[in-house]
């Protein structure tokens, strides 16, 4: 609890690593995950650093791995993820990895090129097969018409016939010879293709087209394409050149087609033989490619982790300074004080792996005035709640961590809004199942992003469901239906009821048994016509009570911070006026809510004043007696509210002016009032104002955490009293309601 209540103490340490042992030592520190390094070469550009060549080599290996992974996913091959976390390989293994990745990429690319060429040949042969088949049927039809025409001519004794008749090619012995072109074109371009041919030839071409029923596969994109076979008849070389240009413009493929039937039959048989051979070769190529990618898929995750670790180590080494002799790397890092011994042992292991003595890695703790980063040690239960708090803002170093209280406050306040026992039970059941079978679910390695969110917050869901069951029983709400468990306290005696049309009015005076419902809200309210009015009023008052309680608790946590850091001026100029201000308005309102519940019963309900109107009148200072003659809420109400209002008004200048004036006086006298502490502090760098932030140390295995940070000491104040006043006013505005970001509970 101590570590979760406040962030762990963090120390600034200096690292002295021999060049031979630096890689192994940083690898061990990365596996430990307890060190946050500082960049000591901020002014040096990235391409001028010592180990930039190694980083670029790692980036090239990552590029090759991404290419292999893309090829694996395109073939729908499952990438094996065993969950292993291998250590960073030795520097000499980096060359072996590079050569292996280069060989695999070259082999995959060669297979892709070969498969693409084979598929292109297969596509050409398939299209030629369809052309031969379609043109064969067309020429057979022409031959039949030709024979029929000759018979008719011989019978009628006619010397000639027309060239074209009834869209058929009728010829005579003196017919002029026509040339033709055969090919395929995409079906979506066919109509435009025909129009263009008609225009450029001025109607002097004959086009025959037939659709190919089977979709053809594009060897480049892999998509299915619908195409059609065309046969164009024309006369003359000039028109032939125009036709070929149009075909090239529409990406139509032209194939040679013999004129005689025997030649077409012979070519078709040769095409079918080549297609069968190509099918065999393509199948063998795909089998070999699939086997190669499957073997890569078994190890690509391990390779990716190794390459990322190598890159991270060399990137971290770029943040170190190198001494004059080029034999030692000097760096700085933030380390949790409680983990210094483990860090020292990790450095010793790294030195031993590199074959150096233990003195090759030295960790030296330093004193500094710099503000350390915030580090909270979490586990699988508290990590989700810490993440909720960090999403609002990370607490400053050694401040009270609201995550400890969020474990209870967040699920409880959620249940007040949710408030259904039935739905809460299923939520609790879902969280309970994820907690019970968490090890099995982890081994399943589900990669859906939404699942990662739900599984990471399984303990949050468990507690939210549990508290929702409790709130549902208090609201008497089970799947939006009431439960009459303990028996209603209302009586339905017709003698004591007032009947108005279809509705019967129950009086709290005459229609109750005098004993309140045992737990929660009486189920009869769910059937009443004024249910919404009653429940909204009740839930609003409950929300005010818990909300104000949370506000007070947040301010009390700030008092704990002021005491811990010995900031007496903040206690006198922030905490005390904040408590007075909150109590005079919201604390007084909560007291009135409880007083009204206790002081007025059903017989005096007509004289019960409205708390909202009373609070408004308090600020307007209106205390006129009601026309109905009802007395005030309590005796001396006017005097009490006037005093509270005066205190609220006095707290405003107290909060805004006293602290800046005291600091101005201290600055002139050279005094310090309490220990100095910086959270999110303003730094000046020339004419540029920079906002310093604090990042949380990670404990994930395999990460070497890095942070860009200036070596100059943080300036804890800014010049000018006007800026101090404005800064204080902005800060106090944030903490008025409910409190500052560092004390958020939900």
């Amino acid at each position: 609890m101590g570590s979760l209540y406040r962030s762990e103490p963090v120390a600034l340490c200096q690292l002295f690593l021999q060049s031979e042992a630096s890689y192994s030592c940083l690898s061990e520190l990365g596996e430990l995950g307890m060190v946050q390094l500082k960049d000591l070469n901020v002014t040096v550009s990235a391409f001028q650093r010592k180990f930039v060549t190694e980083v670029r080599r790692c980036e090239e290996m990552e590029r090759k791995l991404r290419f292999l992974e893309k090829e694996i996913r395109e073939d729908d091959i499952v990438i094996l993820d065993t969950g292993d976390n291998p250590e960073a390989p030795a520097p000499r293994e980096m060359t072996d990895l590079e050569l292996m990745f280069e060989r695999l990429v070259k082999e995959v690319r060669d297979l892709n090129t070969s498969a693409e060429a084979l598929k292109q040949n297969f596509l050409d042969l398939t299209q030629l097969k369809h052309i031969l088949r379609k043109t064969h049927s067309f020429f057979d039809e022409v031959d039949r018409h030709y024979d029929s025409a000759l018979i008719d001519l011989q019978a009628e004794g006619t010397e000639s016939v027309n060239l074209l008749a009834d869209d058929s090619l009728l010829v005579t012995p003196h017919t002029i010879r026509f040339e033709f072109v055969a090919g395929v074109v995409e079906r979506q371009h066919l109509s435009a293709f025909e129009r263009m041919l008609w225009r450029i030839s001025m109607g002097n071409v004959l086009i025959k087209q037939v659709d190919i029923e089977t979709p053809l596969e594009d060897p480049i994109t892999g998509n299915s394409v619908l195409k059609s076979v065309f046969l164009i008849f024309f006369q003359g070389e000039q028109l032939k050149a125009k036709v070929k240009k149009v075909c090239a413009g529409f990406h139509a493929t032209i194939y040679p087609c013999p004129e005689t039937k025997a030649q077409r039959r012979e070519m078709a048989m040769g095409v079918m033989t080549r297609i069968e051979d190509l099918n065999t070769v393509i199948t063998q190529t795909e089998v070999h490619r699939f086997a190669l990618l499957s073997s890569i898929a078994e190890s690509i995750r391990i390779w990716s982790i190794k390459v990322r670790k190598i890159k991270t180590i060399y990137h971290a080494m770029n943040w170190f300074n190198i001494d004059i002799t080029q034999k030692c790397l000097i760096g700085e890092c933030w380390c949790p004080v409680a983990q210094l011994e483990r860090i020292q042992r990790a450095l010793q292991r790294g030195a031993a792996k590199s074959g150096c003595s233990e003195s090759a890695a030295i960790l030296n703790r330093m004193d500094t005035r710099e503000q350390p980063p915030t580090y909270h040690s979490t586990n699988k239960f508290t990590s989700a709640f810490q993440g909720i708090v960090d999403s609002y803002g990370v607490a400053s170093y050694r401040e009270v961590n609201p995550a400890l209280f969020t474990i209870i406050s967040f699920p409880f306040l959620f249940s007040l809004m949710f408030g259904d026992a039935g739905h809460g039970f299923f939520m609790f059941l879902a969280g309970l199942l994820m907690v019970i079978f968490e090890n099995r679910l982890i081994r399943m390695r589900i990669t859906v992003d939404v699942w990662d969110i739900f599984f990471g917050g399984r303990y949050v869901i468990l507690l939210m469901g549990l508290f929702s069951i409790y709130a549902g029983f208090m609201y008497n709400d089970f799947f939006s239906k009431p439960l009459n468990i303990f028996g209603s306290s209302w009586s339905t005696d017709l003698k004591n009821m007032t009947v108005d049309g279809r509705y019967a009015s129950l009086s709290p005076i005459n229609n109750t048994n005098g004993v309140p419902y045992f737990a929660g809200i009486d189920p009869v309210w769910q059937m009443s016509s004024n249910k919404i009015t009653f429940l909204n009023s009740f839930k609003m008052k409950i929300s005010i009570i818990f909300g104000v309680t949370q506000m007070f608790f947040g301010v009390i946590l700030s008092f704990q911070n002021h005491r811990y850091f010995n900031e007496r001026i903040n206690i006198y100029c922030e905490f005390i006026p904040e408590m007075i201000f909150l109590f005079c308005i919201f604390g007084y309102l909560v007291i009135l809510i409880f007083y009204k519940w206790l002081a007025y019963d059903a017989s005096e309900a007509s004289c019960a004043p409205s708390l909202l109107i009373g609070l408004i009148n308090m600020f307007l200072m209106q205390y006129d007696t009601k026309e109905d003659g009802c007395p005030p809420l309590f005796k001396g109400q006017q005097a009490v509210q006037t005093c509270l209002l005066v205190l609220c008004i006095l707290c405003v200048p107290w909060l805004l002016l006293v602290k800046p004036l005291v600091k101005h006086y201290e600055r002139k006298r050279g005094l310090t009032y309490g220990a100095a502490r910086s959270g999110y502090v303003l730094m000046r760098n020339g004419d540029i104002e920079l906002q310093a932030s604090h990042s949380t140390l990670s404990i994930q295995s395999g990460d070497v955490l890095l942070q860009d940070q200036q070596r100059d000491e943080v300036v804890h104040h800014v010049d000018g009293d006007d800026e101090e006043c404005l800064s204080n006013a902005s800060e106090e505005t944030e903490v008025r309601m409910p409190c500052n970001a560092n004390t958020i509970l939900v």
Side-chain angles (χ1 to χ4, degrees):
M1 175 179 173
S3 175
L4 191 61
Y5 182 70
R6 293 189 187 274
S7 60
E8 291 194 6
V10 177
L12 180 63
C13 298
Q14 197 169 24
L15 281 172
F16 296 90
L17 305 176
Q18 288 187 8
S19 300
E20 297 81 4
S22 58
Y23 182 93
S24 300
C25 291
L26 288 177
S27 174
E28 291 295 328
L29 292 180
E31 298 295 337
L32 186 61
M34 291 291 177
V35 173
Q36 180 171 294
L37 296 174
K38 294 176 60 178
D39 189 1
L40 304 184
N41 300 312
V42 178
T43 58
V44 181
S45 59
F47 60 88
Q48 291 178 336
R49 302 198 179 193
K50 176 70 174 177
F51 302 97
V52 64
T53 304
E54 287 76 5
V55 174
R56 289 178 178 175
R57 290 169 60 189
C58 293
E59 291 175 350
E60 179 65 18
M61 287 191 290
E62 287 180 333
R63 184 190 63 80
K64 294 175 181 177
L65 288 174
R66 287 195 299 269
F67 168 76
L68 294 175
E69 185 174 355
K70 180 178 71 69
E71 295 294 325
I72 291 171
R73 295 190 183 279
E74 286 180 355
D75 282 18
D76 296 329
I77 300 175
V78 178
I79 297 177
L80 181 62
D81 188 3
T82 59
D84 295 336
N85 185 25
E87 296 183 356
R92 59 180 176 272
E93 297 181 20
M94 185 175 177
T95 304
D96 298 336
L97 290 175
E98 287 180 306
L99 295 176
M100 180 177 60
F101 296 159
E102 181 67 27
R103 177 180 58 81
L104 292 175
V105 169
K106 184 178 182 301
E107 189 172 353
V108 171
R109 285 179 174 170
D110 290 343
L111 287 174
N112 290 344
T113 304
S114 176
E116 185 177 336
L118 291 173
K119 289 182 179 179
Q120 183 63 49
N121 292 337
F122 180 80
L123 176 64
D124 293 338
L125 291 175
T126 304
Q127 293 179 157
L128 180 57
K129 179 188 71 173
H130 286 288
I131 289 175
L132 294 174
R133 182 178 300 171
K134 303 298 182 183
T135 54
H136 181 74
S137 61
F138 174 74
F139 282 117
D140 285 346
E141 182 181 357
V142 172
D143 291 340
R144 287 194 301 271
H145 281 283
Y146 179 75
D147 295 339
S148 176
L150 288 178
I151 294 172
D152 293 339
L153 286 173
Q154 292 175 358
E156 297 176 2
T158 308
E159 295 182 356
S160 62
V161 296
N162 294 329
L163 176 65
L164 296 175
D166 298 331
D167 293 332
S168 301
L169 188 60
L170 300 179
V171 297
T172 67
H174 305 288
T175 300
I176 300 175
R177 182 177 179 82
F178 282 85
E179 298 185 20
F180 67 90
V181 171
V184 294
V185 67
E186 291 188 17
R187 193 176 300 176
Q188 59 180 349
H189 300 153
L190 185 59
S191 59
F193 179 66
E194 292 179 347
R195 286 196 302 270
M196 182 60 68
L197 288 172
W198 182 264
R199 289 173 182 173
I200 61 104
S201 66
M202 301 181 66
N204 291 321
V205 297
L206 176 64
I207 305 174
K208 291 292 183 178
Q209 57 87 16
V210 182
D211 293 338
I212 300 176
E213 297 82 3
T214 306
L216 303 178
E217 181 183 354
D218 191 329
I220 299 177
T221 62
N223 299 327
S224 297
V225 182
L226 296 175
K227 293 188 176 183
S228 299
V229 174
F230 63 83
L231 191 62
I232 306 172
F233 292 90
F234 53 86
Q235 182 182 5
E237 292 296 329
Q238 186 177 2
L239 194 55
K240 180 179 181 180
K242 291 182 179 180
V243 169
K244 288 186 176 181
K245 287 183 179 180
V246 174
C247 292
F250 281 87
H251 302 286
T253 307
I254 299 176
Y255 292 94
C257 182
E259 297 183 1
T260 64
K261 186 175 182 180
Q263 290 176 342
R264 289 195 298 270
R265 184 179 296 110
E266 182 180 356
M267 180 179 285
M269 294 176 62
V271 168
M272 293 301 298
T273 303
R274 292 175 61 187
I275 288 177
E276 293 177 359
D277 295 340
L278 272 178
N279 268 327
T280 304
V281 176
I282 290 174
T283 302
Q284 293 176 354
T285 303
E286 290 179 348
V287 169
H288 178 61
R289 183 175 181 273
F290 185 84
L292 176 62
L293 293 178
S294 298
S295 63
I296 295 174
E298 296 177 357
S299 306
I300 192 169
R301 281 283 180 248
I302 302 297
W303 294 338
S304 299
I305 295 174
K306 289 182 177 180
V307 172
R308 285 200 301 269
K309 288 186 175 183
I310 296 173
K311 180 182 176 182
T312 304
I313 293 172
Y314 281 115
H315 185 60
M317 292 170 67
N318 279 331
W319 287 14
F320 280 68
N321 284 334
I322 303 177
D323 67 344
I324 300 176
T325 61
Q326 302 290 320
K327 295 183 178 179
C328 181
L329 273 66
I330 304 172
E332 294 180 2
C333 62
W334 295 102
C335 309
V337 176
Q339 305 295 332
L340 287 177
E341 186 176 350
R342 293 181 60 192
I343 295 172
Q344 188 64 51
R345 289 199 300 267
L347 292 174
Q348 293 173 1
R349 289 196 302 270
K353 284 184 179 180
S354 61
C356 301
S357 61
E358 295 183 357
S359 61
I362 300 175
L363 181 68
N364 180 32
R365 183 172 177 179
M366 300 189 303
D367 295 330
T368 180
R369 294 173 57 190
E370 293 185 34
Q371 179 71 16
T374 301
Y375 170 61
H376 296 291
S377 179
T378 59
N379 52 37
K380 62 182 181 181
F381 176 73
T382 60
S383 59
F385 297 98
Q386 188 66 56
I388 294 173
V389 174
D390 291 344
S391 65
Y392 289 92
V394 179
S396 297
Y397 177 67
R398 298 298 290 166
E399 280 190 342
V400 174
N401 182 20
L404 176 63
F405 312 101
T406 306
I407 295 174
I408 298 299
S409 64
F410 183 85
F412 178 70
L413 293 180
F414 170 84
S415 68
L416 294 182
M417 297 181 290
F418 194 72
D420 190 296
H423 293 95
F425 172 75
F426 283 103
M427 183 181 295
F428 171 77
L429 184 62
L432 184 63
L433 291 176
M434 285 190 289
V435 170
I436 294 175
F437 301 104
E438 61 181 12
N439 293 329
R440 184 182 302 177
L441 294 173
I442 291 173
R443 289 193 297 269
M444 292 175 62
R445 303 200 171 276
I446 303 174
T447 58
V448 182
D449 294 338
V450 177
W451 168 255
D452 293 338
I453 296 174
F454 281 107
F455 186 72
R458 57 191 180 278
Y459 290 99
V460 180
I461 296 175
L462 177 70
L463 292 180
M464 288 194 302
L466 183 62
F467 279 99
S468 296
I469 295 174
Y470 166 76
F473 278 112
M474 291 298 101
Y475 293 153
N476 204 345
D477 198 350
F478 188 83
F479 292 115
S480 300
K481 298 295 182 180
L483 295 177
N484 192 3
I485 301 176
F486 306 104
S488 176
S489 298
W490 290 82
S491 173
T492 57
D493 188 2
L494 295 177
K495 297 180 180 179
N496 299 324
M497 295 172 57
T498 303
V499 180
D500 182 12
R502 296 185 303 158
Y503 298 97
S505 299
L506 301 179
S507 172
I509 302 175
N510 301 322
N511 296 104
T512 58
N513 55 16
V515 180
Y517 192 70
F518 180 75
I521 296 176
D522 197 294
V524 77
W525 282 106
Q526 297 291 337
M527 297 180 291
S528 63
S529 59
N530 60 339
K531 173 186 68 174
I532 300 298
T533 304
F534 167 75
L535 292 180
N536 283 351
S537 176
F538 171 75
K539 292 180 180 179
M540 182 184 67
K541 292 181 175 64
I542 291 295
S543 301
I544 292 175
I545 292 172
F546 285 108
V548 173
T549 303
Q550 181 189 9
M551 291 161 59
F552 274 103
F553 187 70
V555 178
I556 292 173
L557 291 184
S558 69
F559 173 73
Q560 295 292 328
N561 291 329
H562 300 329
R563 284 189 58 191
Y564 181 83
F565 294 106
N566 194 24
E567 296 173 334
R568 290 176 295 168
I569 187 172
N570 289 342
I571 295 177
Y572 298 138
C573 299
E574 291 183 10
F575 171 73
I576 294 177
E578 284 174 9
M579 291 295 291
I580 295 175
F581 188 90
L582 287 175
F583 177 79
C584 292
I585 299 178
F586 301 104
Y588 174 67
L589 179 61
V590 172
I591 293 175
L592 290 183
I593 291 174
F594 283 102
Y595 181 80
K596 183 178 177 180
W597 283 343
L598 297 175
Y600 291 89
D601 56 12
S603 61
E604 300 174 343
S606 59
C607 287
S610 172
L611 299 182
L612 178 61
I613 300 301
L615 189 64
I616 295 174
N617 290 336
M618 172 181 170
F619 287 95
L620 297 178
M621 301 188 70
Q622 295 181 359
Y623 302 102
D624 297 335
T625 306
K626 296 182 180 180
E627 296 180 358
D628 54 7
C630 292
L633 192 62
F634 59 89
K635 293 182 179 180
Q637 180 181 1
Q638 178 177 351
V640 171
Q641 294 186 168
T642 302
C643 292
L644 295 177
L645 185 60
V646 171
L647 288 175
C648 289
I649 296 174
L650 292 177
C651 286
V652 174
W654 189 357
L655 287 166
L656 298 180
L657 300 177
V658 175
K659 182 178 177 181
L661 292 176
V662 172
K663 285 186 172 291
H664 174 70
Y665 175 75
E666 292 175 355
R667 189 175 297 115
K668 283 190 174 183
R669 296 290 301 274
L671 301 175
T672 57
Y673 200 90
R677 176 176 67 103
S678 62
Y680 291 87
V681 297
L682 189 67
M683 299 187 299
R684 288 198 178 274
N685 185 8
D687 295 331
I688 303 175
E689 292 184 353
L690 305 173
Q691 189 70 21
S693 62
H694 304 288
S695 59
T696 304
L697 284 173
S698 171
I699 58 173
Q700 183 178 359
S701 178
D703 292 340
V704 175
L705 302 177
L706 311 172
Q707 179 190 28
D708 291 322
Q709 193 170 13
Q710 297 285 352
R711 297 191 65 190
D712 300 334
E713 292 185 355
V714 176
V715 179
H716 294 276
H717 65 274
V718 295
D719 296 332
D721 298 327
D722 295 337
E723 293 186 10
E724 184 70 39
C725 293
L726 293 175
S727 176
N728 194 65
S730 175
E731 180 183 356
E732 300 306 333
T733 302
E734 294 177 0
V735 301
R736 284 297 67 74
M737 293 184 297
C739 52
N740 59 37
N742 293 328
T743 55
I744 293 176
L745 300 182
V746 181

